[in-house]
Amino acid sequence: DAVEVKEVKLQVLDATGDQPNKQFSAIAEIRFTETGLPVVPKANYKEVNAAIKVAEALNPAHYTNFDAVQEAIDAVVKGLPQEQQAEVDAMAAAINAAIAALDELPADYSKVEAAQAKMPTDLSGYTSETKLALISAVTAVPAGLKISKQAEVDAYAKAIEDAIAGLKLKPADYNDVDAAIAQIPADLSIYTDETVEALEAVISSFL
């Protein structure tokens, strides 16, 4: 049966000279397609494509100098031959270097600041447990986070808000009231009705 030949590959397996084959650093290769034109081996763009994929996963709005990354990507020349692999590798290195040099914007701490502004100025009237919970929420906030951590910063703000909402007042101290009531005479019949009624009204307001 006839076989349709799509491509012919020629390799140099031997050569003339004092030391056959040893004068070649690599086996020379030429391919001919069905059109008769030689196929030139292409450079490997794997590292370039990987670097571009990393760049595309980033949000340009989060950086002050993302233009440098885009310029490195735009400078990529596609379809270079294998003999120019070093140039292709340099393109990948340029993209990776631009990514490494990115200057990320700081996170927005306005929600944290707004939450802190709602804190009572005097925490002495609240229970130790709820007071410590608020102090812990405030001191847990790290400074200088970048915009990629914005969700984390907003979560710190919510934790402060929740801790403020969870503050509980200490129970009132009635010792002085009890001591005052203990001093009320057992027999109030000798006092005017008006003063007795006033005293009873005061006592009932504490009960």
Side-chain angles (χ1 to χ4, degrees), residues 16 19 22 30 34-35 43 77 85 90 106 121 129 133 135 142 148 154 171 182 184 205-206:
T16 60
Q19 295 178 310
K22 292 185 179 180
I30 301 175
E34 58 185 334
T35 63
V77 179
Q85 184 64 51
T121 54
E129 182 180 359
I135 293 172
S148 57
D154 293 343
I184 297 174
S205 67
F206 290 103

Side-chain angles (χ1 to χ4, degrees), residues 83-101:
E83 64 186 19
Q84 292 180 269
Q85 184 64 51
E87 294 178 36
V88 175
D89 293 342
M91 295 173 197
I95 298 171
N96 287 326
I99 292 172

